Amino acid sequence: MSEHTLKLIQEDPWLKPYSNAIEGRHSFVVEKEKEITQNGIQSLSGFSSGYLYFGLHRQKNGWVFREWAPNATAIYLVGTFNGWEKNENYRLKKIENGNWELLLPEESIHHQDLYKLLVEWTGGCGERIPVWCRRAVQDGQTKIFSAQVWNPPKPYTCKNRNFKPRTSPLLIYECHIGMASQDEKTGTYDEFRKNILPRIAEDGYNAIQIMAIQEHPYYASFGYHVSSFFAASSRFGTPDELKHLIDEAHGMGIAVIMDIVHSHAVKNEAEGLGCFDGSGFQYFHAGRRREHPTWDSLCFDYGKNEVVHFLLSNCKFWLEEYRFDGFRFDGVTSMLYYSHGLGEDFTNYGDYYNGHQDGDAIAYLTLANKLIHEVNPNAITIAEEVSGMPGLASKIENGGYGFDYRMAMNIPDFWIKTLKENKDEDWLPSAIWWETMNRRKDEKTVSYAESHDQALVGDKTIIFWLMDAEMYWHMQVDDRNFRIERGMALHKMIRLITATTMNGGYLNFMGNEFGHPEWIDFPREGNGWSYKYARRQWNLVDDPNLKYHFLGDFDREMLRLTGSVKDFQATDIQKIWDSDSDQILAYKREDLIFVFNFNPARSYTGYGFLVPGGKYRVALNTDDKRFGGNGLNDDTVEHFTQPDTLYESEGKEWLKLYLPARSAIVLRKIIN
């Protein structure tokens, strides 16, 4: 190939010195696809249909069960149907390529029966949960997991089959089913569907990103230590209840994105894949690469076609079986680099092409994106990736990896660092502008001020950095408190600038839109197995006597504002003015002008900006009394620009405004 073959290189001259590496990765993906599809004899989607073959399936005249376990010497199906005893009638037969099979009559197994595999290998044996099982449940007393037959007589029937996500812009509500309950307990799929989905729809979000769906033994892992990749977590309810939730979300116009974990797996052997057939490296690397150095988990070997088959089938399964609309891939940085991104700075392009990258993992991610969009052309894929790998969210045919979006992970880091280290008078608009706009032009990002990461115990949410313990005593509407008022003002400003500088999507974690107090701490031995901090206190935002509803109301209006401009996320962003000494920033998108005064003490009268001439009306004001502000401006007043002969040829005139300290205002040009 020439260095001008791929569009990724053509559009970024800084990548030309690394054209060989980029083209080599692209060629490797092409060859890998040819290999696994036998030069196109079958489609990528056809290759990725393992879930239709492996696992337990009801057939016309009974049941069939299949498993891949190349190191096993014998396998038995044990369960409630045979007293959990080793029985020759339930012994699997070894067929080809390390696969095992068992055929059973219809009366042998029933809906909701519990089962496992007794796997034997040279020198040992153990009970295992089948790799491809679609449901695993935990015994309330022993806490032991078992697979469960799920074959209801009247399975859930989808009603909204032609749903298509709205992505202009993509507005994501990141959520966790278990902690969505008001009560101190584990919430359910049904409760979320009935109680939380209507809130999300009313607030204006058009997508939910659900965490912790894949079954995981330890609740407090937040779903990131997966054991059963094809099983929806039973602690929240049944598969049918999850399908009902997704279907109802589609009926409300809400896309459902799954937080999928293909970057690693739980080490557990009884529940997970850690030593399924006795080998320890059936799905994972052998040797030092087997264990993740900081996550206490196991690392997939993406160089094995069987592993690629397993993971690609997993993607297709969730799309087809549950009708998820796409995935947010967790831990992509860990997949891309042999170092898992640990201890590397990524300060120049050479750091992405120095041979420290895992070509097999890159190929898997690229093929996963191709498969997902082959199965559902409207699917959404998002990469959680911190190193800034070029091309991650570029099209595959252009030399990229095929994600639709990448997370703008620099933005929340910037806000937390600012809140921790800088005095208010040291907030620099130029730095804020740089961080919110620091992205590749050819890749869409999901901007966010904070996600679940910033809410975990040991850290603080933005609202807690701003207010801390004052929140417990001064959130009544009639209570005037400086720290609370400062926190309310900056909370709105931080979100407004983060959301309105996006170039793809915007994300908020459940409850943070109204400044949910405290942290997230799941039940564990260290807190007495308490659910106090593993829930959401919706009563706070619902109470008109508390200030939380001001923040919730502002969030709703902010999202409506982004929806009022066609393809808001794709419109040009033009900086109008910034002054670090004044702490003023202004920018323009279409007919909207955004003006921020980060100065904590100084208000400005008649502060002028050069904008397209005409009449402007206030579209949103963080200082509006409706949002807990002081209402220092009369937002019913229309603003007229003043001509200046010096700028007449540019079509610009002076817009002069009163800018209260620590506030932001959005104006819309009125077309007569």
Side-chain angles (χ1 to χ4, degrees):
M1 292 185 182
S2 74
E3 64 175 333
H4 301 295
T5 300
L6 297 173
K7 194 173 180 181
L8 180 67
I9 304 169
Q10 292 174 5
E11 294 186 346
D12 187 348
W14 293 98
L15 289 176
K16 288 184 179 180
Y18 312 102
S19 59
N20 287 340
I22 296 170
E23 290 166 349
R25 292 176 186 177
H26 181 76
S27 297
F28 184 67
V29 172
V30 172
E31 292 305 312
K32 174 60 73 171
E33 183 178 5
K34 287 180 180 178
E35 178 186 343
I36 62 179
T37 62
Q38 301 174 63
N39 285 315
I41 291 176
Q42 65 175 335
S43 66
L44 187 59
S45 178
F47 171 80
S48 308
S49 300
Y51 64 93
L52 299 175
Y53 179 81
F54 291 108
L56 182 66
H57 297 278
R58 183 75 170 83
Q59 297 190 130
K60 260 186 180 180
N61 302 315
W63 300 85
V64 62
F65 179 86
R66 299 187 188 94
E67 192 68 78
W68 175 62
N71 193 55
T73 56
I75 303 178
Y76 297 85
L77 193 68
V78 298
T80 51
F81 40 79
N82 62 10
W84 297 98
E85 295 292 330
K86 180 177 173 179
N87 186 315
E88 287 298 318
N89 292 329
Y90 290 86
R91 179 171 181 160
L92 278 69
K93 177 184 177 182
K94 192 169 188 178
I95 50 178
E96 75 287 340
N97 302 321
N99 296 330
W100 298 76
E101 182 180 78
L102 175 65
L103 299 173
L104 291 169
E106 181 180 354
E107 64 274 10
S108 300
I109 300 176
H110 303 91
H111 175 53
Q112 294 188 316
D113 278 345
L114 302 180
Y115 67 100
K116 290 185 180 181
L117 295 178
L118 176 60
V119 182
E120 298 180 353
W121 57 85
T122 303
C125 67
E127 285 191 351
R128 298 288 186 261
I129 292 179
V131 172
W132 300 77
C133 81
R134 301 190 182 190
R135 181 163 170 81
V137 296
Q138 187 176 29
D139 184 274
Q141 298 298 319
T142 65
K143 305 303 180 185
I144 294 174
F145 276 87
S146 300
Q148 185 180 49
V149 178
W150 194 255
N151 184 48
K154 292 184 179 180
Y156 182 78
T157 303
C158 176
K159 299 177 180 65
N160 299 283
R161 291 192 168 273
N162 299 316
F163 174 76
K164 182 178 178 181
R166 293 176 290 131
T167 58
S168 297
L170 181 64
L171 303 172
I172 303 173
Y173 198 81
E174 185 187 32
C175 51
H176 184 284
I177 301 296
M179 63 174 290
S181 173
Q182 168 89 20
D183 302 323
E184 295 186 26
K185 64 166 194 170
T186 301
T188 68
Y189 297 125
D190 273 352
E191 289 170 343
F192 189 93
R193 174 177 58 83
K194 295 172 184 176
N195 303 328
I196 311 305
L197 272 181
R199 289 180 180 271
I200 297 169
E202 183 182 353
D203 285 347
Y205 291 90
N206 56 28
I208 55 175
Q209 180 178 298
I210 311 183
M211 307 175 65
I213 289 295
Q214 294 169 293
E215 191 59 85
H216 47 291
Y218 186 43
Y219 189 37
S221 76
F222 232 141
Y224 291 123
H225 276 190
V226 175
S227 53
S228 295
F229 284 76
F230 290 84
S233 183
S234 60
R235 57 171 54 87
F236 310 133
T238 70
D240 288 48
E241 288 165 350
L242 175 56
K243 291 175 183 178
H244 192 179
L245 185 163
I246 294 170
D247 193 25
E248 197 149 314
H250 288 166
M252 296 179 178
I254 298 173
V256 186
I257 300 166
M258 178 177 163
D259 199 346
I260 199 167
V261 183
H262 283 179
S263 46
H264 60 135
V266 72
K267 290 169 69 174
N268 301 33
E269 295 181 0
E271 297 94 349
L273 313 180
C275 190
F276 181 76
D277 68 353
S279 68
F281 48 84
Q282 180 183 357
Y283 289 93
F284 309 106
H285 287 288
R288 63 181 181 83
R289 293 189 64 194
R290 183 172 185 264
E291 295 193 20
H292 195 287
T294 60
W295 290 353
D296 192 33
S297 56
L298 302 179
C299 300
F300 286 109
D301 184 349
Y302 306 102
K304 294 180 180 176
N305 287 347
E306 295 88 351
V307 173
V308 172
H309 172 250
F310 171 73
L311 295 175
L312 289 179
S313 296
N314 193 234
C315 294
K316 184 179 176 183
F317 168 79
W318 292 107
L319 292 172
E320 295 274 276
E321 181 69 18
Y322 284 88
R323 305 187 73 81
F324 276 95
D325 299 293
F327 306 99
R328 179 264 204 185
F329 278 74
D330 172 69
V332 171
T333 304
S334 177
M335 299 170 72
L336 293 177
Y337 303 94
Y338 294 128
S339 67
H340 303 292
L342 303 172
E344 298 201 44
D345 293 330
F346 304 106
T347 56
N348 61 75
Y349 274 179
D351 294 332
Y352 306 117
Y353 307 103
N354 56 10
H356 297 171
Q357 296 73 39
D358 187 339
D360 291 324
I362 291 171
Y364 165 68
L365 288 168
T366 309
L367 289 172
N369 276 293
K370 184 170 185 179
L371 165 75
I372 291 163
H373 293 101
E374 182 178 311
V375 174
N376 180 2
N378 298 313
I380 299 162
T381 58
I382 305 168
E384 188 232 15
E385 205 283 313
V386 72
S387 77
M389 171 69 77
L392 198 65
S394 296
K395 292 181 179 180
I396 296 170
E397 59 267 30
N398 294 343
Y401 302 166
F403 284 97
D404 296 304
Y405 303 86
R406 64 191 307 156
M407 302 292 291
M409 299 184 73
N410 61 301
I411 298 177
D413 289 347
F414 169 78
W415 286 125
I416 294 300
K417 180 178 174 65
T418 298
L419 291 167
K420 281 182 179 180
E421 301 178 5
N422 292 355
K423 297 178 181 178
D424 288 5
E425 55 266 31
D426 295 331
W427 286 32
L428 303 179
S430 61
I432 294 170
W433 177 259
W434 166 257
E435 287 295 341
T436 54
M437 296 293 293
N438 182 19
R439 59 203 176 210
R440 294 179 61 83
K441 291 182 180 180
D442 59 341
E443 300 188 45
K444 292 186 292 186
T445 59
V446 174
S447 297
Y448 62 108
E450 57 185 340
S451 66
H452 71 275
D453 286 328
Q454 288 72 38
L456 293 172
V457 64
D459 204 341
K460 293 181 181 180
T461 59
I462 285 176
I463 201 71
F464 231 64
W465 278 111
L466 290 167
M467 299 180 179
D468 219 324
E470 298 287 304
M471 291 185 73
Y472 297 128
W473 313 107
H474 301 288
M475 287 298 282
Q476 292 81 11
V477 168
D478 58 356
D479 189 341
R480 299 299 299 268
N481 176 278
F482 171 77
R483 189 163 189 178
I484 296 298
E485 291 180 10
R486 167 186 174 268
M488 295 273 292
L490 289 176
H491 192 270
K492 289 177 284 186
M493 294 178 72
I494 287 170
R495 275 164 165 67
L496 181 63
I497 195 167
T498 301
T500 59
T501 52
M502 66 173 159
N503 77 331
Y506 172 73
L507 176 142
N508 165 69
F509 178 67
M510 179 174 65
N512 285 355
E513 72 278 7
F514 64 84
H516 195 285
E518 299 165 337
W519 49 87
I520 299 169
D521 191 9
F522 284 94
R524 54 186 174 87
E525 188 174 4
N527 64 16
W529 304 104
S530 170
Y531 284 83
K532 181 178 180 181
Y533 299 112
R535 62 189 179 114
R536 295 284 91 174
Q537 299 178 61
W538 305 106
N539 60 299
L540 297 177
V541 71
D542 292 341
D543 191 338
N545 298 310
L546 298 178
K547 296 179 180 179
Y548 297 98
H549 81 86
F550 289 138
L551 298 179
D553 292 345
F554 177 79
D555 191 76
R556 186 181 306 114
E557 291 302 315
M558 179 182 75
L559 298 187
R560 286 179 181 170
L561 179 73
T562 64
S564 69
V565 175
K566 181 178 174 56
D567 295 328
F568 177 86
Q569 79 291 345
T571 60
D572 289 336
I573 308 177
Q574 303 170 25
K575 183 164 68 173
I576 295 172
W577 176 257
D578 71 337
S579 169
D580 286 345
S581 58
D582 293 339
Q583 293 183 274
I584 300 290
L585 173 66
Y587 54 91
K588 174 183 177 294
R589 295 193 85 155
E590 290 293 296
D591 60 348
L592 295 176
I593 304 291
F594 301 84
V595 183
F596 291 79
N597 179 9
F598 288 100
N599 199 300
R602 187 176 177 186
S603 299
Y604 298 95
T605 301
Y607 202 103
F609 306 94
L610 285 167
V611 301
K615 180 171 65 174
Y616 290 82
R617 186 176 297 151
V618 175
L620 189 64
N621 186 353
T622 63
D623 193 47
D624 193 321
K625 287 186 177 181
R626 292 185 301 145
F627 309 130
N630 295 309
L632 297 179
N633 264 313
D634 181 355
D635 291 342
T636 64
V637 172
E638 294 181 337
H639 299 267
F640 295 85
T641 57
Q642 301 170 18
D644 187 325
T645 54
L646 287 175
Y647 302 98
E648 189 175 355
S649 61
E650 301 176 28
K652 293 181 179 179
E653 298 182 355
W654 288 102
L655 176 66
K656 296 190 176 182
L657 303 170
Y658 172 57
L659 305 177
R662 207 180 272 130
S663 71
I665 189 170
V666 185
L667 299 107
R668 172 175 274 117
K669 187 177 181 183
I670 305 303
I671 308 299
N672 294 325

